């Protein structure tokens, strides 16, 4: 019989505002270590430390668990964030997003996609053809949850990413999230860059084109970022999509290809 697996999820706030969240799926024997690691992330930094941390462990029903392969990784080197944003819009268009919708979406993340131009806690869902938004709560958006690298492969994946110069924790976390998103019903593409002021690399992910990193999508110091999931109407139900993204447990047990970084247009 397979060992029990647990979804361990952490979220942290500072003065009532969302600060960070992270999650893993691990065997029972790793739960306490992983919970402690996740809590340490938001309680040991020297700059901002959370004042409220919530960590939850929940057993996963193994009958519902899916296994999947991570998307191939490519990296585009751009000269600055302006070129980066143009590249993002172009990659979205190649994935099947309308060109005008793609341009507007990039601008939306640049401005802040939440109410009053704030950063959302989760992702916006947008019609790839019309730009219409579907998420019910524009502060929260859709939160992708219950996905991880299978524990027995984590070391190997981390080592291979590290060898390719992609050892930053954010890379594997974003790759896993994007891997779940591009495997979801109705998804055409995802656009993302971090709200962390110092982290300027972002990506466009798409089912047929994989995880396409773009070296700069904003300037250092900019606290805005977010995610937009583009959908093709008529190919999914919102209920099914939300349920898959938020609740379906997915474990990645294969890494995709890692392409060498390439200068855009050169
Ligand atoms: N589900 C949906 N949206 C989320 C989630 C989630 N679980 N977590 C974060 N977001 C949204 C939210 O609006 C955040 O402000 C935004 O995404 C950025 O989150 O070099 O670090 O965790 O290959 O800051 C991408 C490039 C890094 C990594 C992305 O995102 C690389 C990153 P962050
Ligand atoms: Mg963040």
């Amino acid at each position: 019989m397979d060992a029990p697996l647990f979804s361990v999820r952490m979220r942290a706030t500072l003065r009532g505002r969302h600060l960070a969240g992270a999650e893993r799926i691990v065997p029972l024997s790793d739960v306490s270590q992983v919970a402690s690691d996740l809590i340490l992330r938001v309680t040991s930094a020297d700059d901002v430390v959370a004042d409220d941390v919530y960590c939850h462990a929940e057993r996963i029903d193994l009958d519902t668990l899916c296994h999947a392969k991570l998307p191939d990784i490519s990296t585009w080197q751009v000269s600055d964030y302006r070129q980066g944003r143009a590249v993002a819009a172009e990659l979205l268009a190649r994935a099947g997003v309308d060109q005008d919708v793609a341009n507007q979406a990039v601008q939306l993340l640049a401005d802040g996609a939440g109410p009053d131009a704030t950063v959302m806690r989760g992702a916006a869902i947008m019609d790839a053809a019309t730009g219409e938004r579907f998420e019910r709560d524009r502060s929260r958006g859709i939160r992708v949850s219950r996905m991880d690298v299978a524990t027995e492969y984590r070391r190997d994946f981390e080592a291979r990413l590290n060898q390719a110069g992609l050892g930053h924790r954010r890379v594997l976390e974003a790759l896993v999230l994007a891997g779940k998103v591009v495997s979801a019903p109705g998804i055409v593409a995802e656009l993302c860059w971090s709200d962390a002021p110092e982290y300027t690399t972002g990506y466009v992910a798409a089912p047929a084109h994989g995880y396409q990193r773009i070296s700069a999508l904003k300037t250092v110091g900019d606290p805005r970022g977010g995610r937009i999931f583009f959908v093709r109407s008529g190919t999914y139900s919102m209920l099914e999509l939300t349920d898959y993204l938020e609740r379906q447990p997915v474990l990645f047990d294969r890494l995709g290809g890692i392409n060498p970084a390439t200068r855009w247009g050169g």
Side-chain angles (χ1 to χ4, degrees), residues 8 32 47 115 174 188 247:
V8 183
S32 62
D47 43 357
V188 172
R247 305 208 63 88

Side-chain angles (χ1 to χ4, degrees), residues 30-218:
D30 292 353
V31 168
S32 62
Q33 180 63 54
V34 163
S36 140
D37 290 348
L38 293 180
I39 292 171
L40 258 180
R41 278 188 187 201
V42 288
T43 53
S44 64
D46 17 323
D47 43 357
V48 258
V49 173
D51 57 17
D52 192 67
V53 186
Y54 171 90
C55 197
H56 177 85
E58 171 196 62
R59 185 162 174 168
I60 283 181
D61 178 359
L62 294 181
D63 293 338
T64 66
L65 182 66
C66 287
H67 293 268
K69 182 183 173 195
L70 286 163
D72 294 343
I73 303 173
S74 48
T75 300
W76 293 107
Q77 301 283 4
V78 293
S79 34
D80 61 16
Y81 80 94
R82 287 191 194 86
Q83 186 185 29
R85 288 176 183 180
V87 169
E90 169 67 24
L91 295 177
L92 287 171
R94 286 184 190 178
V97 178
D98 174 84
Q99 185 70 66
D100 292 335
V101 170
N103 294 336
Q104 285 159 22
V106 169
Q107 194 55 46
L108 183 69
L109 274 202
D111 294 339
D116 302 319
T118 48
V119 172
M120 297 173 69
R121 298 196 299 283
I125 306 245
M126 187 176 278
D127 189 301
T130 67
E132 185 186 350
R133 281 172 71 175
F134 299 123
E135 73 280 7
R136 253 188 292 157
D137 176 342
R138 285 210 180 171
S139 302
R140 179 184 181 273
I142 299 287
R143 295 276 309 172
V144 188
S145 182
R146 296 173 174 80
M147 65 288 178
D148 199 356
V149 171
T151 297
E152 59 269 43
Y153 297 105
R154 174 168 282 276
R155 278 234 184 128
D156 174 52
F157 290 9
E158 284 174 349
R160 283 155 69 187
L161 287 171
N162 202 37
Q163 226 165 31
L166 302 174
H168 197 294
R169 183 180 76 198
R170 287 187 189 274
V171 179
L172 183 54
E173 285 184 359
L175 182 66
V176 164
L177 193 153
K180 187 172 184 192
V181 171
V182 298
S183 71
I187 291 288
V188 172
E190 176 190 358
L191 168 67
C192 164
W193 68 85
S194 181
D195 58 345
E198 79 290 351
Y199 204 84
T200 60
T201 302
Y203 65 86
V204 168
H209 302 113
Y211 181 82
Q212 306 164 89
R213 306 174 67 243
I214 300 167
S215 64
L217 283 171
K218 68 175 188 181

